[in-house]
Amino acid sequence: MTRTHLVCLGFCLFAGGCYTFEPVGIGDLQPEMQVRARLSAVQAGEVSDLIPGDDRLIEGEVIENDPQRLLLLVPVANANRRGRFETLNQRLELPHDGLLEVELRKLDRWRTGGLTAAGAFVIGYVLYRTLTGGSSGNTPGGSGGGPQDSWIPFGIPFGG
């Protein structure tokens, strides 16, 4: 297996993200919990004007949970305001009988750590190869008597 294959395999292992979802009972939900809910077809039709997309899965933050309904803060759009991105949210009231399943969003420490370590390794490797001049011998350089240019392996010159 070549180095490229190993990098692709490693990326695929951690591409699932840093979060997992675990099923949770509706009665166990507390304010500020991050959840994903699967809506019934009827409930999805009722909120289709408020939530973009045709998906019956919605993610949001629990604001309130009483015996009849669940109040979620759901992201609906991203806006660019003066060079700063903001997420626009909508409060969404969902009756418990309109929810087929609710899952709690949890941080997966192993995936997060593995992804962080892999990213640090790649950055370290690129820096090492760049700073030590570890190239295949075909990098352009200053053969005109001036200072030698340094090249990042992707062909972007820096130095002078």
Side-chain angles (χ1 to χ4, degrees):
M1 205 183 266
T2 67
R3 186 176 11 196
T4 304
H5 288 117
L6 289 174
V7 169
C8 289
L9 177 64
F11 178 75
C12 289
L13 290 175
F14 294 105
C18 296
Y19 293 96
T20 59
F21 291 91
E22 295 179 2
V24 64
I26 294 174
D28 297 331
L29 296 175
Q30 300 294 320
E32 298 183 8
M33 286 183 164
Q34 298 294 322
V35 297
R36 177 171 67 182
R38 184 178 314 278
L39 305 178
S40 67
V42 172
Q43 187 64 44
E46 290 179 12
V47 300
S48 63
D49 294 340
L50 302 172
I51 306 298
D54 297 328
D55 202 3
R56 289 175 46 182
L57 279 176
I58 59 169
E59 292 185 28
E61 179 182 334
V62 175
I63 298 174
E64 185 180 321
N65 185 21
D66 65 36
Q68 289 81 30
R69 67 179 174 84
L70 178 65
L71 187 60
L72 289 179
L73 187 63
V74 180
V76 292
N78 290 319
N80 184 353
R81 301 214 173 151
R82 297 182 200 141
R84 192 177 85 205
F85 284 98
E86 294 181 20
T87 300
L88 304 176
N89 296 302
Q90 171 75 40
R91 287 178 176 239
L92 187 61
E93 184 177 321
L94 301 167
H96 285 187
D97 59 357
L99 301 171
L100 299 178
E101 179 182 31
V102 180
E103 298 171 312
L104 183 62
R105 180 177 158 177
K106 289 189 152 194
L107 179 68
D108 187 328
R109 295 182 192 278
W110 287 102
R111 284 185 186 171
T112 303
L115 193 57
T116 303
F121 175 77
V122 168
I123 290 171
Y125 178 75
V126 169
L127 285 174
Y128 170 77
R129 296 286 290 185
T130 300
L131 296 175
T132 60
S135 65
S136 61
N138 59 357
T139 55
S143 59
Q148 176 136 358
D149 287 338
S150 298
W151 283 75
I152 294 177
F154 304 112
I156 302 170
F158 73 94

